Amino acid sequence: MDEIRIYGFDGVGGVQRLAPEQMDARPPETPDGGFVWAHVDGASEAGRDWLEAAGLDRLEIEALLAEETRPRCTLHGDIALMNLRGVNLNPGAEPEDMISVRLFVSARMMITVQMRALQALVDLMTALDRGQGSTTPGDLIARLALRLADRAEPVVAALNERADQLEDTMEEEGRGDSVMRADLADIRRTSIVMRRYMFPQRDALSTLEIEDLDWLSQRDRSRLREATERVTRLAEELDALRDRAQVVHDQILDIRAEAMNRQMLVLSVVAAVFLPMGLVTGLLGINVGGIPGATWPHAFWAVCAMLLVIGAGQIWLFRWMGMFSR
């Protein structure tokens, strides 16, 4: 993507790609009712130089180039400073490593800054290159927010599908091995990180919608409300996904606890069976006089038969008590 992209809008849906005449000049003027959108790569030196020369004050430049951002909307006079986030769909990246886009919006100019490539912005620019322009800055913000939601929806849907598969596996096989636990932990981590940005993004869009700005039309507010509802739905799905993951996690813990209890029961039964046998053999093995059967040649087999009887009696008793069926 170019380090600086400039689009001019005529206010009635027309759009054209513009090239800045000089890097130290403001974007070209537009006709009455029109506005300009300048998209800047904040990670490039040329982009930073352009911002310094664009006539913005220090507060606005710092907001556009901040290293760490969270979704928010702040008014600076009749100017709106916004931060939005989109899922990271770059090759080899994690979707929950959400990319920030910073916005400076006024009645005649909109400036966006990104530090990394964001697919939603590429989608929006592709539509503009096809001639699908916006009529107002508010409409362009709403389109961007909707594109961000469009790109996030498949990620959330994939997380829901993975959670469904885990739940089905739990119901059908009743197991909770290390692979399932690792997959579940990844789902929980992804949903928590994405949720961290979705609710503030909803609040930022809602704040812009209700602000008293002259350059926001009623149609713009309706589009922003639609984008807010989309983001809210995604945030609620992430909330539900986190709760579902917690339920599956609890089920895995129950399965592991039940398996451990069964193993402990087996060990307890075995120990209980051999405990009286050990007592008898221990008494007969003490090195003192008077041991019964010491001179009888069949005493060993008699003791073995007695131990078998004791063992069989204990097994019958434990079965009658229902311990084997547990």
Side-chain angles (χ1 to χ4, degrees):
M1 184 179 294
D2 298 339
E3 295 175 341
I4 301 171
R5 278 199 178 198
I6 298 180
Y7 293 90
F9 300 83
D10 58 13
V12 292
V15 59
Q16 60 177 331
R17 176 81 179 274
L18 305 174
E21 299 175 353
Q22 297 176 351
M23 287 299 179
D24 59 350
R26 290 178 64 89
E29 294 294 331
T30 56
D32 292 340
F35 68 100
V36 166
W37 174 30
H39 179 66
V40 179
D41 181 3
S44 67
E45 183 177 354
R48 292 175 179 267
D49 292 341
W50 188 91
L51 286 175
E52 293 288 347
L56 306 180
D57 64 29
R58 180 51 51 185
L59 174 64
E60 295 163 348
I61 293 177
E62 290 178 355
L64 292 175
L65 296 178
E67 291 294 332
E68 297 294 333
T69 64
R70 284 179 61 84
R72 68 183 180 95
C73 177
T74 304
L75 293 189
H76 189 216
D78 62 344
I79 295 170
L81 297 174
M82 298 185 66
N83 294 325
L84 300 177
R85 288 267 182 166
V87 293
N88 190 349
L89 300 178
N90 294 319
E94 298 292 338
E96 67 271 18
D97 180 21
M98 301 185 74
I99 299 175
S100 172
V101 54
R102 305 93 187 275
L103 294 86
F104 166 97
V105 192
S106 65
R108 300 293 299 277
M109 184 189 302
M110 175 172 164
I111 299 175
T112 57
V113 178
Q114 70 175 25
M115 300 298 180
R116 293 177 290 173
L118 184 60
Q119 192 60 44
L121 281 169
V122 175
D123 296 340
L124 183 56
M125 292 177 183
T126 301
L128 295 179
D129 291 336
R130 293 198 302 264
Q132 301 175 7
S134 295
T135 55
T136 63
D139 179 65
L140 189 59
I141 296 173
R143 290 180 63 183
L144 174 59
L146 289 170
R147 294 286 184 180
L148 293 173
D150 288 341
R151 285 293 182 172
E153 281 182 346
V155 176
V156 177
L159 289 174
N160 276 311
E161 184 176 352
R162 290 172 61 188
D164 291 340
Q165 292 175 352
L166 285 177
E167 290 176 344
D168 292 341
T169 302
M170 290 290 299
E171 293 178 0
E172 295 174 0
E173 303 180 12
R175 60 184 179 87
D177 55 24
S178 59
V179 176
M180 288 185 60
R181 295 197 301 271
D183 198 16
L184 179 64
D186 183 64
I187 292 174
R188 294 180 66 189
R189 177 180 58 84
T190 302
S191 60
I192 290 172
V193 173
M194 291 184 64
R195 178 190 178 278
R196 175 188 174 195
Y197 294 110
M198 284 299 178
F199 278 111
Q201 186 142 313
R202 174 202 63 183
D203 296 339
L205 294 171
S206 179
T207 299
L208 180 64
E209 176 200 342
I210 64 176
E211 290 293 348
D212 187 15
L213 295 170
D214 294 336
W215 45 267
L216 276 180
S217 66
Q218 187 59 41
R219 181 178 181 276
D220 296 340
R221 298 180 191 276
S222 298
R223 295 290 304 280
L224 287 170
R225 190 177 305 114
E226 178 185 355
T228 302
E229 291 176 355
R230 290 273 298 280
V231 175
T232 301
R233 182 173 58 82
L234 288 174
E236 291 175 348
E237 286 187 11
L238 290 170
D239 254 346
L241 184 61
R242 184 187 58 176
D243 294 339
R244 290 174 60 193
Q246 183 61 46
V247 170
V248 176
H249 180 260
D250 292 342
Q251 290 177 338
I252 290 177
L253 291 181
D254 291 342
I255 291 174
R256 296 181 64 188
E258 184 178 352
M260 185 175 296
N261 289 337
R262 285 197 300 267
Q263 294 171 356
M264 293 300 297
L265 178 62
V266 171
L267 292 176
S268 299
V269 169
V270 171
V273 168
F274 284 95
L275 182 61
M277 297 182 185
L279 175 62
V280 172
T281 56
L283 286 174
L284 294 178
I286 57 179
N287 192 19
V288 295
I291 298 299
T295 59
W296 185 33
H298 302 292
F300 172 76
W301 299 109
V303 170
C304 291
M306 180 179 64
L307 294 178
L308 289 175
V309 171
I310 294 174
Q314 286 183 294
I315 292 175
W316 174 84
L317 177 63
F318 292 150
R319 186 180 297 276
W320 179 76
M321 294 173 63
M323 297 185 69
F324 290 127
S325 62
R326 297 175 188 174

